[in-house]
Amino acid sequence: MSKVIDDLRIVEDIETSQKSGKKLFDRVGGRETVLKVHTIFYDKLYAHPWLGQFFHGIDRAVIETQQTDFMSGLFGGPKNYSGRMPIDAHEHLMITEELFALRQELLRSSLEQAGVSEDEILDWLKFDAAFKKVLVKKSLDDCRKRFFTDQIVDIPKPHEVLLKKA
């Protein structure tokens, strides 16, 4: 299946997740709220003993701004994002079902902490979940380098690292 077809299916999933006539961007409080959620979210991601390792060497301010721009556009706000689509930006990362689920838990917690209402949390999580099918991989064979110099990133759970050392 091509990346373009996968991206189109994500767009279809997002469009069908919108239940009301008002855009999610407006319902959550605009860019200010989206940025607030991402600030809290990346606090959690960078501090997490497993997920944080995926962000080693990545400028946090840049990734927060990119994520805010990307999601704001998806939610019906300004289309300021000009980076890679998620499937291309994450193709070198071994993202498992477990990692994706853990990330969703931290996102939900961040949304709650930011004061987003339950209805908007559910819609936000639907938008986010629409990317699962193109981000989650079954094996390292599903990963691809983005650049010649890229490394495939596969970070084991911290307790698994400790067991291997013993």
Side-chain angles (χ1 to χ4, degrees):
M1 186 172 305
S2 80
K3 291 179 185 180
V4 173
I5 291 171
D6 285 340
D7 288 344
L8 290 174
R9 287 192 177 148
I10 289 170
V11 170
E12 290 170 6
D13 287 348
I14 289 169
E15 288 172 351
T16 59
S17 76
Q18 295 183 14
K19 295 177 185 169
S20 74
K22 195 171 179 186
K23 297 173 183 178
L24 183 57
F25 182 78
D26 297 324
R27 292 188 336 223
V28 299
R31 182 178 172 76
E32 182 179 329
T33 302
V34 178
L35 181 57
K36 179 180 180 181
V37 168
H38 288 138
T39 300
I40 295 167
F41 182 51
Y42 282 99
D43 279 346
K44 295 175 186 298
L45 288 176
Y46 273 77
H48 194 275
W50 187 16
L51 289 170
Q53 294 181 61
F54 284 88
F55 296 94
H56 180 73
I58 297 174
D59 184 324
R60 182 178 160 172
V62 170
I63 199 164
E64 280 180 21
T65 300
Q66 286 180 330
Q67 184 74 359
T68 298
D69 287 346
F70 180 72
M71 296 308 284
S72 291
L74 284 180
F75 294 166
K79 309 270 190 239
N80 295 328
Y81 181 73
S82 62
R84 294 172 180 257
M85 286 299 291
I87 190 170
D88 297 318
H90 297 82
E91 64 187 344
H92 67 297
L93 302 175
M94 182 58 198
I95 301 172
T96 63
E97 292 271 349
E98 183 180 12
L99 272 169
F100 194 88
L102 176 57
R103 185 190 167 283
Q104 281 252 303
E105 288 174 27
L106 293 177
L107 178 55
R108 175 179 258 291
S109 171
S110 301
L111 289 159
E112 291 169 351
Q113 192 174 337
V116 176
S117 73
E118 184 63 22
D119 285 344
E120 279 65 43
I121 287 174
L122 293 175
D123 281 349
W124 188 313
L125 292 173
K126 285 179 191 173
F127 274 85
D128 191 71
F131 292 97
K132 179 179 177 181
K133 64 182 137 208
V134 295
L135 297 180
V136 170
K137 297 159 187 87
K138 294 186 188 306
S139 74
L140 284 173
D141 293 335
D142 296 333
C143 295
R144 302 283 176 261
K145 291 182 177 185
R146 299 169 300 168
F147 312 104
F148 178 73
T149 57
D150 249 354
Q151 297 294 318
I152 301 298
V153 178
D154 181 22
I155 299 172
K157 286 173 71 173
H159 73 276
E160 291 174 6
V161 172
L162 295 175
L163 291 174
K164 288 180 183 179
K165 289 182 181 180

